[in-house]
Amino acid sequence: MGIIHITTPGIRKALKRYGYEQAISEYVWNGFDAQASKVDIIIDANEIGHIEQICIIDNGYGIDFAKLKTKFEPFFESEKK
């Protein structure tokens, strides 16, 4: 396995067809796929209402460290259908 190098423009190009709604729902579903019984979405906004940060936290089992490479390589592929 080689080193994967991806830049900000590359990420933007790969993800440009996805809206924020799809990105958030993907994180939520990943939590449920990991047997989460609770998924929290925390949105921090500044004084004028612009979103500064979105945190998505769940109590799912997470990714086994030993399987980390197989979960994220090759880049931008998923074992889910």
Side-chain angles (χ1 to χ4, degrees), residues 16-61:
K16 71 180 178 182
R17 65 180 180 207
Y18 298 101
Y20 72 90
E21 301 95 338
Q22 288 176 292
I24 292 171
S25 66
E26 182 65 25
Y27 277 107
V28 171
W29 279 113
N30 284 347
F32 290 136
D33 286 344
Q35 307 299 308
S37 61
K38 180 178 179 183
V39 177
D40 291 324
I41 301 173
I42 302 165
I43 301 172
D44 291 328
N46 63 20
E47 306 81 41
I48 60 172
H50 288 205
I51 295 174
E52 296 283 331
Q53 177 175 281
I54 299 173
C55 294
I56 302 168
I57 303 166
D58 66 66
N59 64 350
Y61 58 77

Side-chain angles (χ1 to χ4, degrees), residues 51-78:
I51 295 174
E52 296 283 331
Q53 177 175 281
I54 299 173
C55 294
I56 302 168
I57 303 166
D58 66 66
N59 64 350
Y61 58 77
I63 298 172
D64 182 347
F65 187 77
K67 296 180 180 179
L68 201 55
K69 264 193 153 184
T70 61
K71 292 289 185 181
F72 294 103
E73 294 178 11
F75 180 74
F76 217 77
E77 292 186 21
S78 174

